[in-house]
Amino acid sequence: MTVPALSPRPGNLREVAEEIERATGLRVEILGGKLVMSPTPRGKHAGTIRRLRHLLTPQLPGGIDLYEVSSIALPGDPEDYCTPDLVVLPTEWDEDDEWLVDPGDVELAVEVISKSEKAKDVSAKNGWYAAAGVRTLLVLDPRGGDWALFTHPRDGEYQGRLRGKYGDELLLPAPFTQPVDTACLPVYGDGALERRKRGEPS
């Protein structure tokens, strides 16, 4: 959610974002010059990330790994940054003193849609990743059990777009080599009920 009441002056957005994180424990990002706060993930949101880590880790070659709570910088803008739910980076990140990741180092960014997230906010964030040059973005939507894979960013848009439902085959680009079993990912509330009615795993 955007925080219009703060009206921070240019040049101190990060300072304000860090203060909000300290005071509230919420995840704060700066997207397109606006402060955006995300609530603490629900169980199924966190469960999605945990299960995806379990699925992807065996496929990772040496020298790269999965990270949470690592923020990506927007090139050319010292204020803007985004914090994906999961990001695949070189393991050198373990030893880096910087707190913002170079988007050129990102093999894959993963966003899990929150239950209350609006379509325009999801679209805007996808556009941010494309503008930053993140080469592969996976968006998981537990509201209805949908996924979307975005590749080949150019001129602020992803040229490659592939959509599917949980249970459909999802093949990620290299360095990943095996399909991701999205059928095991949880869905929120009514979505889980609908899947059980159809005899699908929830």
Side-chain angles (χ1 to χ4, degrees):
M1 97 184 134
T2 308
V3 190
L6 289 173
S7 301
R9 68 183 184 281
N12 81 329
L13 282 174
R14 282 195 190 172
E15 181 183 323
V16 172
E18 289 168 10
E19 184 59 36
I20 292 171
E21 285 190 339
R22 276 194 297 271
T24 65
L26 297 174
R27 181 176 71 175
V28 182
E29 301 166 292
I30 303 175
L31 306 175
K34 294 181 180 178
L35 288 166
V36 178
M37 292 193 304
S38 304
T40 303
R42 299 167 186 262
K44 286 183 179 175
H45 186 125
T48 298
I49 298 162
R50 183 190 67 78
R51 292 183 195 189
L52 189 63
R53 283 189 75 110
H54 181 74
L55 292 167
L56 296 182
T57 297
Q59 298 190 43
L60 293 174
I64 63 172
D65 213 330
L66 292 153
Y67 294 87
E68 295 180 48
V69 200
S70 292
S71 300
I72 301 170
L74 181 67
D77 190 327
E79 293 282 294
D80 262 46
Y81 66 92
C82 190
T83 309
D85 290 297
L86 203 58
V87 61
V88 179
L89 297 169
T91 52
E92 284 86 354
W93 183 239
D94 288 1
E95 304 297 329
D96 204 315
D97 286 328
E98 295 297 321
W99 75 280
L100 288 177
V101 174
D102 183 326
D105 291 337
V106 176
E107 296 285 349
L108 171 70
V110 179
E111 283 284 346
V112 180
I113 304 300
S114 299
K115 197 169 186 179
S116 59
E117 212 157 351
K118 295 179 173 61
K120 66 180 180 61
D121 295 331
V122 174
S123 180
K125 189 174 264 193
N126 294 353
W128 190 98
Y129 282 108
V134 172
R135 53 185 166 268
T136 306
L137 170 65
L138 174 62
V139 178
L140 299 171
D141 190 349
R143 294 173 301 182
D146 304 293
W147 56 261
L149 181 64
F150 300 92
T151 58
H152 303 96
R154 190 175 68 233
D155 301 326
E157 292 185 7
Y158 281 108
Q159 307 303 306
R161 300 175 188 186
L162 182 64
R163 298 181 186 276
K165 295 292 237 179
Y166 286 7
D168 293 347
E169 184 175 73
L170 168 58
L171 284 169
L172 297 172
F176 300 97
T177 57
Q178 301 295 319
V180 178
D181 178 19
T182 55
C184 76
L185 301 177
V187 293
Y188 301 138
D190 292 341
L193 179 61
E194 289 304 312
R195 289 182 67 174
R196 282 198 297 271
K197 284 180 182 176
R198 294 195 303 264
E200 300 172 10
S202 58

